[in-house]
């Protein structure tokens, strides 16, 4: 099939004209940030970095779509950006104005055909939620089931490909990224995950994968996809409802601890058993049910399925740090995918590892970190590591590290928000009982095959 034929059948596919239009729009927004960067480079000033960061955040806020999502994403990876940039970009909101009823009708007709409304008993015209890549509408099926219909915005494939190029331009504006970290593999990783987020058919399989992996965790509810009403750009699933995580910040300590323990098993359980993580730590992706006895897990676009050997490296590094075994730590980093290591680099990386693993090293009830706000979790340690890497580096971060790091920090921030106090050491070691990398690989292969994932 020719490219022209594909375009005529699907005018929203990744196409050159769409990429050019998107690049022009985003480039115009970024040009203001670039001017600020040039001015500050010439004239400096005590708040130069902060001014550049504010200008960049403002530019990305105007751009919306994938690039704004990427900015939010990288701002939650503590060792990726200088603190001034992370602070500004983390304030970008995922919420976006919903597109109106004319778009909804066009999208639904394109995905389900001219008689799409007849497939529902009722369909809400107003979106219940809107974000950077799509919006969700509530609907009711003829059998009475309430469902959520997730509709992808127009031209997102072209926007992603354009914004991938702009991401590299954006990184060029970071004056202080001066060789401490080589982000090239991280950019590739973010790009691949962003492309996957546009594939709603794959997201439906991710949803089924999680239902499979968490089947023995009665407290977790995963929405059920409705295949006959889903396509690559429309995902229909069972409607779930609950309270936001932050609604329980003032709940009794035992309730907050119970929620935190459920979060632990929902995240670490699939990782240690199947080498899979939910890569988006946004608090809105969890709902609490039963006044603190259950969880709903939402949004399965950003799921990272790791090579099982990577998980083996994570476990090996944990045990090496616990035993203060430098040589074992060195070997674990190599298993993770770090290359060109030296003793000095491993010593620096161990600073970050001791922070990440910190709560898992103490066999006692404790908080994740005392006197630290959720937004600042990991920032001080990341700054110290970056400073040392400027002297000892550079270090090339393996791509698998990106979402592991991001999700672990997000989970820690959720614990801080809840004020949870748990014995994380015992929980983690319980999750490792019977750990065998060959069994992990076998479970992953079986679970993927069961839902049709490559």
């Amino acid at each position: 099939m020719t490219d022209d034929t594909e375009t005529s059948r699907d005018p929203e596919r990744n196409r050159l004209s769409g990429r050019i239009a998107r690049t022009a729009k985003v480039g115009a927004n970024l040009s203001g940030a670039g001017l600020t960067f040039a001015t500050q480079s010439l004239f400096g000033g005590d708040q130069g970095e902060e001014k550049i960061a504010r200008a960049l955040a403002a530019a990305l806020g105007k751009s919306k779509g994938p690039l704004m999502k990427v900015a939010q994403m990288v701002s939650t990876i503590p060792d990726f950006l200088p603190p001034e940039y992370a602070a500004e970009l983390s304030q970008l909101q995922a919420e976006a104005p919903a597109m109106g009823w004319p778009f909804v009708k066009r999208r639904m007709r394109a995905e389900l055909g001219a008689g799409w409304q007849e497939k529902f008993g009722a369909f809400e015209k107003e979106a219940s939620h809107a974000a950077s890549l799509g919006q969700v509408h509530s609907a009711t099926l003829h059998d009475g089931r309430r469902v959520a219909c997730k509709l992808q915005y127009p031209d997102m494939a072209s926007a992603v490909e354009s914004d991938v190029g702009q991401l590299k331009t954006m990184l060029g504006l970071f004056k202080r990224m001066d060789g401490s970290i080589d982000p090239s593999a991280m950019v590739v990783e973010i790009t691949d995950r962003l492309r996957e987020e546009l594939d709603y058919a794959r997201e439906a399989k991710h949803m089924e994968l999680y239902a499979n992996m968490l089947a023995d965790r009665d407290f977790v509810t995963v929405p059920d996809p409705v295949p006959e009403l889903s396509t690559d750009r429309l995902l229909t699933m069972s409607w779930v409802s609950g309270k936001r995580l932050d609604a329980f910040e003032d709940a009794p300590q035992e309730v907050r601890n119970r929620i935190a323990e459920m979060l632990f098993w929902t995240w670490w359980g699939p990782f240690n058993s199947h080498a899979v993580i939910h890569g988006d730590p946004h608090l809105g992706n969890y709902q609490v049910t039963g006044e603190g006895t259950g969880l709903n897990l939402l949004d399965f676009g950003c799921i990272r399925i790791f090579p099982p050997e990577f998980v083996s490296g994570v476990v090996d590094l944990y045990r090496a740090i616990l035993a203060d075994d430098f040589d074992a730590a060195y070997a674990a980093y190599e298993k993770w995918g770090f290359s060109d290591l030296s003793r000095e680099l491993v010593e620096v990386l161990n600073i970050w590892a001791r922070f990440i693993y910190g709560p898992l090293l103490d066999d006692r009830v404790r908080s994740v970190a005392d006197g630290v706000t959720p937004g600042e979790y990991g920032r001080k340690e990341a700054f110290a590591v970056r400073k040392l890497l400027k002297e000892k580096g550079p270090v090339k971060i393996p791509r698998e590290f990106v979402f592991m790091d991001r999700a672990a920090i997000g989970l820690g921030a959720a614990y801080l928000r809840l004020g949870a106090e748990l014995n994380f050491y015992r929980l983690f070691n319980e999750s490792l009982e019977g750990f065998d990398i060959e069994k992990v690989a076998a479970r992953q292969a079986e679970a993927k095959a069961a839902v049709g994932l490559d």
Side-chain angles (χ1 to χ4, degrees):
M1 183 179 292
T2 66
D3 185 75
D4 288 343
T5 303
E6 288 184 8
T7 301
S8 64
R9 290 182 56 183
D10 184 0
E12 291 182 22
R13 68 186 294 274
N14 173 26
R15 52 200 171 91
L16 180 61
S17 60
R19 293 201 302 270
I20 291 173
R22 174 70 179 176
T23 299
K25 176 183 177 182
V26 175
N29 290 336
L30 286 177
S31 63
L35 180 60
T36 300
F37 169 71
T39 303
Q40 292 302 323
S41 296
L42 285 172
F43 301 108
D46 292 339
Q47 282 80 44
E49 295 287 352
E50 289 85 347
K51 291 178 181 177
I52 299 169
R54 283 196 296 272
L56 184 61
L60 293 173
K62 294 175 184 176
S63 300
K64 305 294 184 187
L67 190 58
M68 187 176 79
K69 189 174 184 67
V70 168
Q72 294 167 323
M73 198 177 290
V74 298
S75 73
T76 61
I77 304 171
D79 50 356
F80 191 71
L81 298 180
E84 294 88 353
Y85 295 99
E88 287 295 332
L89 297 185
S90 65
Q91 296 178 38
L92 288 172
Q93 298 299 308
E95 294 289 337
M99 298 193 73
W101 183 239
F103 155 73
V104 175
K105 289 191 294 184
R106 287 195 303 272
R107 170 61 77 221
M108 297 299 292
R109 180 187 178 97
E111 304 306 313
L112 297 182
W116 70 269
Q117 285 182 286
E118 299 171 7
K119 301 178 186 292
F120 298 91
F123 190 97
E124 292 292 332
K125 292 184 176 181
E126 298 294 325
S128 58
H129 176 72
S132 51
L133 303 182
Q135 62 192 52
V136 176
H137 288 255
S138 171
T140 305
L141 302 184
H142 289 294
D143 61 8
R145 284 181 294 163
R146 190 181 181 191
V147 295
C149 295
K150 183 177 177 180
L151 289 67
Q152 189 175 122
Y153 293 143
D155 292 317
M156 282 294 101
S158 298
V160 163
E161 297 310 315
S162 168
D163 286 6
V164 164
Q166 295 290 346
L167 171 60
K168 296 174 183 177
T169 300
M170 182 180 77
L171 292 177
L173 295 174
F174 295 145
K175 179 182 177 183
R176 287 175 57 186
M177 292 190 70
D178 54 0
S180 61
I181 292 175
D182 178 353
S184 55
M186 301 170 79
V187 173
V188 172
E189 174 70 8
I190 290 170
T191 298
D192 284 353
R193 301 287 79 75
L194 195 55
R195 287 172 179 150
E196 282 186 359
E197 284 207 53
L198 296 182
D199 185 350
Y200 285 2
R202 184 179 180 87
E203 183 173 350
K205 294 177 181 179
H206 286 163
M207 204 178 298
E208 294 177 306
L209 177 67
Y210 260 80
N212 179 325
M213 295 188 299
L214 295 172
D216 61 342
R217 305 290 177 185
D218 294 339
F219 55 80
V220 184
T221 298
V222 175
D224 297 315
V226 183
E228 65 272 21
L229 295 175
S230 299
T231 68
D232 289 347
R233 290 181 303 225
L234 167 66
L235 178 55
T236 302
M237 69 201 91
S238 58
W239 185 277
V240 295
S241 59
K243 295 181 180 179
R244 287 177 56 90
L245 206 64
D246 54 16
F248 288 82
E249 291 179 12
D250 296 322
Q253 186 69 53
E254 62 269 21
V255 173
R256 289 181 278 129
N257 289 346
R258 170 61 180 163
I259 295 170
E261 188 172 340
M262 291 188 296
L263 286 174
F264 177 91
W265 288 111
T266 300
W267 195 88
W268 277 109
F271 181 76
N272 287 341
S273 64
H274 292 75
V276 179
I277 62 166
H278 191 296
D280 191 345
H282 190 277
L283 292 182
N285 288 336
Y286 305 102
Q287 292 176 339
V288 181
T289 61
E291 295 305 316
T293 59
L295 283 181
N296 294 330
L297 186 58
L298 308 174
D299 197 343
F300 297 84
C302 189
I303 301 301
R304 190 34 160 120
I305 302 175
F306 292 104
E309 191 69 9
F310 177 78
V311 183
S312 180
V314 172
V315 175
D316 288 351
L317 183 59
Y318 169 68
R319 289 172 173 165
I321 296 295
L322 192 63
D324 196 22
D325 187 333
F326 181 87
D327 291 337
Y330 196 114
Y333 287 120
E334 290 185 320
K335 190 177 286 188
W336 274 31
F338 285 87
S339 58
D340 300 323
L341 290 173
S342 65
R343 183 177 186 86
E344 291 77 11
L345 279 176
V346 170
E347 288 173 346
V348 176
L349 292 174
N350 277 346
I351 296 173
W352 185 243
R354 289 190 187 96
F355 164 72
I356 288 291
Y357 287 122
L360 311 177
L361 300 173
D362 286 342
D363 187 6
R364 64 182 177 89
V365 174
R366 53 164 286 176
S367 65
V368 166
D370 293 328
V372 178
T373 64
E376 290 298 314
Y377 183 60
R379 300 291 179 201
K380 181 178 70 174
E381 291 78 9
F383 178 78
V385 170
R386 286 182 61 85
K387 185 176 180 180
L388 286 169
L389 286 177
K390 288 178 183 178
E391 302 172 8
K392 310 294 185 182
V395 61
K396 186 173 183 178
I397 304 295
R399 58 183 299 175
E400 289 84 3
F401 184 82
V402 177
F403 286 94
M404 174 72 191
D405 196 26
R406 176 177 185 250
I409 289 295
L411 191 63
Y415 291 154
L416 287 176
R417 190 174 290 275
L418 287 168
E421 296 178 355
L422 296 171
N423 190 318
F424 296 100
Y425 170 92
R426 293 190 180 181
L427 281 172
F428 188 66
N429 280 276
E430 183 182 343
S431 76
L432 291 179
E433 288 180 5
F435 178 81
D436 182 290
I437 196 59
E438 292 184 1
K439 292 180 181 179
V440 171
R443 279 192 294 265
Q444 184 191 94
E446 182 180 355
K448 287 167 62 180
V451 300
L453 273 169
D454 295 332

